[in-house]
Amino acid sequence: MRASLKDLENAVNQVKLLKKDPGNEVKLKLYALYKQATEGPCNMPKPGVFDLINKAKWEAWNALGSLPEETARQNYVDLVSSLSSSSESSSQVKPGADKEHAGYGTLVVTSEDGITKIMLNRPTRKNAISTQMYQEIILALKAASQDDSAITVLTGNGDFYCSGNDLTNVTDTPLGGIEEKAKNSTNLLRDFVASFIDFPKPLIAVVNGPAVGIAVTLLGLFDIVYASDRATFHTPFSHLGLSPEGCSSYTFPKIMGPTKATEMLTFGKKLTAREACAQGLVTEVFPDATFQKEVWTRLTAYAKLPSNVLRISKQVIRNREKEKLHSVNVEESSIIQGRFLSEESMNAVMNFLSKRAKL
Ligand SMILES: CCCC/C=C/CC(=O)SCCNC(=O)CCNC(=O)[C@H](O)C(C)(C)COP(=O)(O)OP(=O)(O)OC[C@H]1O[C@@H](n2cnc3c(N)ncnc32)[C@H](O)[C@@H]1OP(=O)(O)O
């Protein structure tokens, strides 16, 4: 039986529920099949050469030629069905599933032995931070700040800690266009960073693998940073036409001195875990083979200390910097808003999306 309009509608809803991001190529295919199924052959003028995202969409749709609408509908439904079954059968590690907090799509949040663990859970995208993940981290930090755990840990699932901002975040441009997108992204970035500045209890980063971009800059706002010796620390802002964020323009020079900070933030020098430790960004490095065991043993012992005094000590150490950090965050966010709209930044993102560039 051929797929009906109702089947198409159901498949569109199913796409929103996929547990795994299907990747840009599949998303383009879905876009093209949907347009073909609902509007017939491509009827849009070809976008200009710099409008790379719309050009990619146009090309995908146009490539379907005169494929009949019913066939496109069927192909769309079949493609979604294959994505749904592979997403259901994918077995991601979900430690502590019995203590898991429900309601997160991009994170696994667990509380056990006085520790709330927020684990970035997009391992097939190297834990890149999607818009949804930014929002969920804000919510998870808010919940953790009010729960009865003594400490909170941020870590990554899979071989990466986090590959930074998800570069496909720019592709869902709202009706207000790219300016509105830049404004929304900047507001989200500002609120996201603010939730780290304001976090009231000890916040520990368990850096299980490479860290990129905003995942690195934020480390200056953590109270302890433990790293596997496999981890690397890379802030390729200039390569991406972007400026420093996460309060790093203030915290990095304080932590490592202005010249080392410049090598990282301006020139994109990638540090090994041992180099990052020597520069004070990382607290301690562990061999990867024993990383999880050693770190969790230590954290479990720390979490047994009286939780009120842990909060108070953190606040004594950090509070006098808070106002300054908020003003740095506002300033950095406003500068990066302009960078998002720059040709340098747009070209870098497009090069990544069209697979011409990788770090
Ligand atoms: C809204 C606030 C904005 C705040 C601004 C923040 C600034 C930053 O965070 S800048 C840093 C941005 N991040 C990057 O530039 C990293 C881009 N990724 C890479 O260069 C590479 O993927 C990697 C070096 C991280 C890993 O390379 P590797 O060969 O090991 O793996 P891949 O095959 O490339 O990755 C698997 C899969 O994941 C996708 N992916 C990885 N990182 C990102 C990302 N940051 N955004 C979007 N997608 C990412 C990658 O494309 C692969 O996808 P496919 O399987 O579909 O090819």
Side-chain angles (χ1 to χ4, degrees):
M1 205 171 67
R2 308 291 291 165
S4 64
L5 284 173
K6 185 75 196 154
D7 294 331
L8 179 67
E9 194 187 317
N10 289 341
V12 169
N13 289 330
Q14 239 175 308
V15 170
K16 294 179 195 147
L17 299 174
L18 287 177
K19 292 190 189 117
K20 209 168 112 190
D21 187 317
N24 292 332
E25 258 170 62
V26 175
K27 283 190 209 157
L28 273 179
K29 205 164 179 182
L30 285 170
Y31 166 83
L33 286 170
Y34 181 81
K35 293 293 271 185
Q36 190 86 7
T38 54
E39 295 180 36
C42 182
N43 55 15
M44 279 186 342
K46 187 171 182 177
V49 66
F50 289 115
D51 191 359
L52 288 169
I53 294 173
N54 285 322
K55 194 161 143 280
K57 287 177 163 178
W58 183 89
E59 278 164 0
W61 184 10
N62 195 48
L64 295 180
S66 55
L67 185 77
E69 291 178 24
E70 305 73 46
T71 314
R73 189 156 72 210
Q74 183 68 52
N75 291 356
Y76 184 98
V77 170
D78 290 345
L79 178 54
V80 173
S81 148
S82 72
L83 292 173
S84 302
S85 51
S86 72
S87 151
E88 268 153 31
S89 65
S90 79
S91 55
Q92 299 301 348
V93 192
K94 286 203 166 192
D98 50 336
K99 320 269 183 323
E100 195 173 320
H101 301 226
Y104 296 101
T106 64
L107 308 174
V108 177
V109 183
T110 51
S111 293
E112 193 174 7
D113 296 334
I115 305 174
T116 290
K117 175 164 80 169
I118 301 171
M119 184 166 69
L120 311 179
N121 191 34
R122 298 180 75 217
T124 57
R125 321 302 297 169
K126 308 294 179 191
N127 296 323
I129 312 182
S130 58
T131 302
Q132 183 186 355
M133 193 190 273
Y134 281 109
Q135 291 160 342
E136 290 189 351
I137 293 172
I138 295 174
L139 292 175
L141 286 176
K142 181 104 197 122
S145 72
Q146 290 161 358
D147 71 16
D148 56 7
S149 62
I151 62 178
T152 299
V153 171
L154 190 76
T155 190
N157 187 10
D159 62 343
F160 258 63
Y161 173 65
C162 173
S163 63
N165 186 44
D166 188 317
L167 296 175
T168 67
N169 284 344
V170 293
T171 52
D172 57 337
T173 309
L175 281 177
I178 190 78
E179 280 84 9
E180 189 178 327
K181 178 75 200 175
K183 190 161 156 248
N184 294 345
S185 303
T186 312
N187 289 344
L188 179 60
L189 170 67
R190 190 200 52 221
D191 294 349
F192 175 72
V193 174
S195 65
F196 284 82
I197 299 172
D198 286 332
F199 195 71
K201 9 173 144 165
L203 184 60
I204 324 285
V206 170
V207 185
N208 54 300
V212 184
I214 191 162
V216 177
T217 54
L218 279 178
L219 295 175
L221 300 174
F222 280 71
D223 302 299
I224 292 180
V225 179
Y226 291 141
S228 148
D229 60 6
R230 226 174 34 78
T232 50
F233 299 82
H234 194 190
T235 47
F237 296 129
S238 299
H239 301 77
L240 294 166
L242 295 177
S243 46
E245 28 61 347
C247 293
S248 58
S249 63
Y250 179 71
T251 57
F252 277 34
K254 274 194 95 173
I255 292 169
M256 59 187 80
T259 63
K260 298 280 187 198
T262 300
E263 272 205 300
M264 276 193 88
L265 297 173
T266 307
F267 293 104
K269 183 178 181 200
K270 190 201 272 193
L271 301 190
T272 63
R274 299 215 181 281
E275 288 166 338
C277 191
Q279 294 186 10
L281 185 62
V282 164
T283 315
E284 191 168 336
V285 181
F286 299 80
D288 193 57
T290 54
F291 178 61
Q292 296 291 344
K293 187 162 184 288
E294 289 194 58
V295 162
W296 289 105
T297 304
R298 187 164 323 167
L299 292 177
T300 307
Y302 285 174
K304 290 198 167 70
L305 291 164
S307 58
N308 285 338
V309 80
L310 295 184
R311 256 178 198 262
I312 289 166
S313 292
K314 162 157 186 168
Q315 290 175 17
V316 168
I317 295 169
R318 294 271 172 181
N319 269 8
R320 72 180 68 83
E321 287 282 46
K322 249 177 150 179
E323 209 177 308
K324 175 73 186 169
L325 289 169
H326 279 300
S327 79
V328 171
N329 182 28
V330 169
E331 190 190 342
E332 286 179 348
S333 300
S334 134
I335 293 170
I336 210 169
Q337 182 170 348
R339 297 312 308 162
F340 282 141
L341 296 169
S342 70
E343 205 178 316
E344 289 171 338
S345 161
M346 287 195 205
N347 284 343
V349 170
M350 292 317 154
N351 281 340
F352 176 78
L353 295 181
S354 58
K355 310 260 178 233
R356 283 196 297 270
K358 214 183 243 202
L359 292 172

